[in-house]
Amino acid sequence: MRNLIFALAPILTLAALPGTALAQAAYCSPPSQPARPEPELPSDKEPKRVLPIGSYTLAISWSPQYCATAKGTGNAVQCGGRNGKFGFTLHGLWPDGYGKEWPQYCRATDLVPRAVIRQNMCATPSAQLIQHEWAKHGTCMATKPELYFNLSRAFYESLRYPDMAALSRRPNLTAGQFAAAFAKANKGMTADMMRVTTTRDNKLSEVWLCMDRALEFTRCPGHQGGVPDSAYVKITPGPIILNPRRPVPPPANPTKRPGLLLDLDPNAQPPAEGN
């Protein structure tokens, strides 16, 4: 695969600023010792597939709907209420191909370190899902799990949301109307840059935001999936979450530009200063 290096210091610095981590939760207090996940490995149904990356998808889940039907102790952090009350959570940042197939499980990996898991629990409140996202998607994008999750979390934390409580009370809300409200909350975004997914009984499940190879939000391809714009969407009520004030952005040309390596070559080097 051709080496791909993105200089992403501004957005990664944004993610590190205080006050942004809980933008999608009413509150969050991650466990000091997150559960140890099980290994995630390719299988006959989910095989290793190394393909060129043509675009990306940022997937976020509506946690109140997930928790309405979730069972088992593995969902305690997200749904138990002791560690947090969540609105939209980060499902993952997925590399897509140039058609309907995408790269996945690109290389073998160890368990994600517990320190990295804990750092991401307020975005993705499931140790097993964090392991899954790194094994299936992250190994096709970055050389280390912390780089992959720093990038994913930065985009997730940059999102803003419409008034979900008000939308949950709207009768006959359509997917197109929801997408328009979501886009309006995010400068430069349009409704055709996302796909809305629902459960079988039309409850909001996830939002998939389409991104091009430069990691800019873009119009979704026709095969991306999701329900039609005319489909009715019901929103399971969730916690009241206020959008925090946007932090002051870092300088446009910082002195140091830590590059994020997005390839499978462990010998790849970030760009030289000034390039």
Side-chain angles (χ1 to χ4, degrees):
M1 180 182 290
R2 183 170 64 90
N3 290 352
L4 297 174
I5 300 178
F6 291 86
L8 292 169
I11 194 164
L12 294 178
T13 303
L14 176 72
L17 290 175
T20 64
L22 306 187
Q24 287 74 26
Y27 78 90
C28 177
S29 178
S32 58
Q33 288 292 327
R36 183 177 176 85
E38 296 295 324
E40 290 275 352
L41 303 172
S43 63
D44 291 340
K45 291 184 177 180
E46 293 282 355
K48 176 179 179 178
R49 196 161 55 218
V50 181
L51 296 172
I53 296 175
S55 58
Y56 300 88
T57 297
L58 182 68
I60 57 175
S61 302
W62 183 235
S63 184
Q65 174 54 37
Y66 174 80
C67 290
T69 58
K71 299 178 181 180
T73 58
N75 300 299
V77 173
Q78 182 170 355
C79 304
R82 175 176 297 181
N83 296 104
K85 291 184 178 179
F86 302 92
F88 277 105
T89 57
L90 173 63
H91 186 158
L93 179 62
W94 306 336
D96 298 318
Y98 283 94
K100 294 184 178 181
E101 288 195 333
W102 56 87
Q104 61 181 21
Y105 296 105
C106 290
R107 52 182 165 180
T109 182
D110 294 328
L111 293 181
V112 176
R114 271 185 167 170
V116 177
I117 291 176
R118 189 175 190 277
Q119 183 184 22
N120 290 279
M121 289 290 279
C122 285
T124 305
S126 165
Q128 193 60 50
L129 181 55
I130 288 172
Q131 180 67 33
H132 173 81
E133 293 302 300
W134 166 240
K136 183 175 182 179
H137 304 293
T139 58
C140 299
M141 293 176 55
T143 55
K144 297 179 180 180
E146 54 266 38
L147 295 178
Y148 169 69
F149 289 114
N150 284 351
L151 176 65
S152 305
R153 198 174 67 251
F155 281 113
Y156 163 73
E157 290 174 355
S158 72
L159 294 175
R160 295 296 179 266
Y161 301 98
D163 186 337
M164 296 297 290
L167 289 175
S168 71
R169 296 191 295 268
R170 283 184 57 176
N172 302 323
L173 177 70
T174 67
Q177 291 169 339
F178 171 80
F182 193 105
K184 186 178 180 180
N186 293 273
K187 185 177 181 180
M189 189 179 292
T190 56
D192 60 1
M193 294 177 175
M194 71 192 76
R195 292 288 185 261
V196 178
T197 72
T198 64
T199 63
R200 291 184 177 180
D201 55 352
N202 302 323
K203 300 288 184 61
L204 175 66
S205 175
E206 295 199 327
V207 178
W208 297 347
L209 297 154
C210 299
M211 309 176 81
D212 61 21
R213 291 186 67 203
L215 293 165
E216 298 282 350
F217 293 117
T218 189
R219 183 177 182 180
C220 293
H223 63 261
Q224 187 71 16
V227 298
D229 287 346
S230 59
Y232 290 121
V233 176
K234 302 175 184 177
I235 299 176
T236 300
I240 302 299
I241 300 172
L242 300 178
N243 287 325
R245 180 183 300 177
R246 289 180 180 270
V248 177
N253 296 302
T255 303
K256 295 182 179 181
R257 301 192 312 166
L260 182 76
L261 280 63
L262 301 180
D263 72 349
L264 304 183
D265 179 6
N267 298 313
Q269 298 296 318
E273 292 293 336
N275 288 353

